[in-house]
């Protein structure tokens, strides 16, 4: 393997895994799975953010946060009444469920996990 150059502080990355494509039927529900892995202990301050970028849109909005041990559904977009937190950070799971799918839910969802030292 490659030898790290001197003076570079070791960063312990979090590896996040999501399904590349998820298909759902209008009116049904879909689970957006997000699992993560870190060689370090998962801290109590772990935070998880889900973003949504509508198809054909340049902007992404944050739709969900998990922080300080609490899930928060963001009060924006059309998801707030239809979203359910099903994750468990202790099991390295940051998944959410979207209920009553609508055609406008088409787009890109990203799961971002931060594990502060």
């Amino acid at each position: 393997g490659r030898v790290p150059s001197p003076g570079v502080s070791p960063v312990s990355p979090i590896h996040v895994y999501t399904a590349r494509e998820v298909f759902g039927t209008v009116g049904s529900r879909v689970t957006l799975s997000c699992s993560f892995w870190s060689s370090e202990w998962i801290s109590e301050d772990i935070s998880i953010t889900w973003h949504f970028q509508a198809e054909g849109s340049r902007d992404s909005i944050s739709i969900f946060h998990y922080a300080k041990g609490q899930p928060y559904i963001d009060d924006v977009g059309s998801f707030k009444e239809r979203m359910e937190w099903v994750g468990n950070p202790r099991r390295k799971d940051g998944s959410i469920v979207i209920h009553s799918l609508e055609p406008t839910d088409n787009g890109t969802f990203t799961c971002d996990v931060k594990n502060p030292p």
Side-chain angles (χ1 to χ4, degrees):
R2 278 158 65 217
V3 179
S5 55
V8 175
S9 64
V11 173
S12 143
I14 284 201
H15 304 275
V16 178
Y17 306 96
T18 52
R20 208 178 132 54
E21 283 195 288
V22 177
F23 296 95
T25 322
V26 169
S28 73
R29 59 179 226 160
V30 68
T31 301
L32 300 174
S33 62
C34 168
S35 57
F36 51 90
W37 183 88
S38 171
S39 58
E40 300 292 306
W41 185 71
I42 299 293
S43 89
E44 290 295 306
D45 286 333
I46 188 155
S47 70
I48 299 163
T49 309
W50 278 92
H51 289 89
F52 172 67
Q53 184 174 8
E55 205 169 32
S57 164
R58 286 234 256 346
D59 301 318
S60 92
I61 56 167
S62 103
I63 57 172
F64 175 87
H65 288 284
Y66 177 95
K68 305 262 181 276
Q70 288 292 322
Y72 300 98
I73 291 168
D74 286 358
D75 207 19
V76 292
S78 65
F79 296 107
K80 55 179 177 286
E81 307 292 327
R82 303 185 287 122
M83 197 181 313
E84 182 189 356
W85 163 244
V86 294
N88 181 341
R90 284 196 188 87
R91 297 203 189 112
K92 303 185 172 57
D93 181 2
S95 305
I96 56 174
V97 171
I98 311 260
H99 293 271
S100 311
L101 284 174
E102 299 169 0
T104 50
D105 295 343
N106 224 354
T108 305
F109 294 85
T110 43
C111 173
D112 186 30
V113 183
K114 291 187 176 63
N115 188 30

